[in-house]
Amino acid sequence: MSNLWPADSAVLCDGQPSADTVEVVSPLVADVGSITVRRLLPRRARRLVGPWCFLDVFGPVKQSGRKPMDVRPHPHIGLQTVTWLFAGDALHRDSLGSEALAVPGALNLMTAGRGIAHSEETPAGATGAVHGVQLWIALPDAQRSIAPAFDHYAERPHVDVPGGRVTVILGRIWEVSPPGRTFSPILGAEIAADRAPRVVVPLDRAFEHAVVPIDAGLALDDLRLAPDTLYYLGTGRDEVCLGVEPGRRPRALLLGGAPLGETVLMWWNFVARTTEEIVAAREDWQAGRRFGEVRGYPGARLDAPAYVARPVPANPMS
Ligand code: MN
């Protein structure tokens, strides 16, 4: 997915963990074409969770017969994208020639490295339903100029635990560690609670973590959790214990990773370190250089917004 947010200023993200209290990050909501998007990262209150630097929840759109997702070809640098769906489908195409259908339970993982372009759209003949998340992972400085790649994983392993099922998207929980091209210690998982009173997932104390409920019906200690909200847990926790309301089957994302320890500069669809890199990437995209061509997408590619050179505002997105 492209960053379609109506913001033109760069966002500086210093990869330092915060205290181990719970920070609540409420979503910024926007209607982007025919779909509602809730932005949870980056926000003023929280820029990074481990290497996770971007999180949009989109949908749910019920069976609509329309094309709720239609993100025209656009470029990325310095990051990986994760598309993870709870319902519906989305067709990915990129400038490497990859074509892959994202469906619930499958992982689309795109490594931009020094540059790639892609599109994501509701496929022709689909029901028009979609509900999912788009995540970006900041690449560490040493790897951020690697060659681009795309990986589709049809299945992710899960573990059934008292109170629910945990699907490992990336990283490791217990001894479950599915294949996945990653470049710094990371965790991404979907928790599907299916009965009260609780579901417990062990955590790596060295990681910072966040819980993002997708449905109502979860609690963290005495705190009732709201859907589409990011609860940042900091580092130093051995486990997360989520209370489950009787009769509900709420889902949540669990994100984590070693604190990145680097300051990244984000603008539009680029994760960089300097303004010069962002300007160069933008110019290359506009001039048709570097990123290649996305073949098969029925329409024009996305133009980059103007880059407005100015100091990074203290409060760019809230
Ligand atoms: Mn994208």
Side-chain angles (χ1 to χ4, degrees):
M1 203 158 193
S2 172
N3 179 7
L4 298 170
W5 213 260
D8 62 1
S9 44
V11 178
L12 202 60
C13 314
D14 76 5
Q16 301 303 317
S18 297
D20 59 357
T21 54
V22 176
E23 297 174 11
V24 183
V25 179
S26 298
L28 272 179
V29 183
D31 284 320
V32 180
S34 52
I35 198 163
T36 300
V37 174
R38 292 168 216 82
R39 170 73 44 85
L40 289 164
L41 290 175
R43 298 293 307 282
R44 180 176 55 150
R46 172 66 18 210
R47 302 296 197 204
L48 293 160
V49 179
W52 300 102
C53 62
F54 180 98
L55 169 54
D56 272 357
V57 183
F58 50 88
V61 176
K62 304 280 184 207
Q63 298 190 1
S64 62
R66 294 181 293 109
K67 192 173 180 180
M69 181 173 282
D70 191 5
V71 186
R72 293 191 271 156
H74 60 277
H76 287 288
I77 64 167
L79 56 81
Q80 296 181 285
T81 67
V82 166
T83 302
W84 182 257
L85 297 185
F86 305 110
D89 37 25
L91 179 63
H92 161 97
R93 290 189 178 97
D94 65 41
S95 50
L96 301 175
S98 319
E99 196 173 301
L101 192 64
V103 294
L107 168 64
N108 273 5
L109 176 63
M110 185 178 78
T111 303
R114 62 177 172 261
I116 196 169
H118 75 146
S119 61
E120 284 181 302
E121 56 181 321
T122 302
T127 64
V130 73
H131 184 199
V133 289
Q134 167 80 188
L135 293 143
W136 298 354
I137 303 163
L139 289 172
D141 190 48
Q143 280 91 28
R144 64 197 183 87
S145 297
I146 57 174
F150 177 80
D151 301 292
H152 173 83
Y153 301 98
E155 290 187 338
R156 301 275 85 185
H158 63 258
V159 182
D160 288 316
V161 298
R165 169 171 288 189
V166 179
T167 301
V168 182
I169 303 170
L170 285 172
R172 169 188 296 265
I173 298 183
W174 296 283
E175 294 308 308
V176 177
S177 179
R181 192 192 301 258
T182 56
F183 299 88
S184 67
I186 193 167
L187 175 68
E190 181 186 316
I191 300 169
D194 59 16
R195 56 198 177 278
R198 71 186 64 86
V199 58
V200 181
V201 181
L203 302 179
D204 185 327
R205 290 183 65 84
F207 283 14
E208 49 185 349
H209 291 93
V211 172
V212 181
I214 300 301
D215 307 297
L218 292 171
L220 186 66
D221 300 322
D222 294 334
L223 183 65
R224 249 178 122 149
L225 305 186
D228 301 332
T229 300
L230 187 143
Y231 295 89
Y232 175 78
L233 306 178
T235 58
R237 290 178 185 256
D238 293 316
E239 62 178 29
V240 60
C241 176
L242 295 173
V244 181
E245 203 174 298
R248 290 191 187 259
R249 301 168 67 89
R251 297 160 297 180
L253 281 180
L254 173 63
L255 303 177
L260 189 62
E262 298 179 25
T263 297
V264 304
L265 187 63
M266 295 176 63
W267 179 80
W268 195 41
N269 296 306
F270 304 142
V271 174
R273 299 296 185 275
T274 66
T275 298
E276 290 72 24
E277 288 170 51
I278 288 171
V279 170
R282 182 191 177 282
E283 285 176 359
D284 283 350
W285 173 248
Q286 293 301 94
R289 296 186 298 258
R290 189 194 316 200
F291 296 98
E293 191 183 336
V294 180
R295 296 182 195 282
Y297 177 82
R301 58 188 222 145
L302 208 58
D303 257 341
Y307 184 80
V308 181
R310 62 183 182 202
V312 177
N315 182 9
M317 301 194 66
S318 302

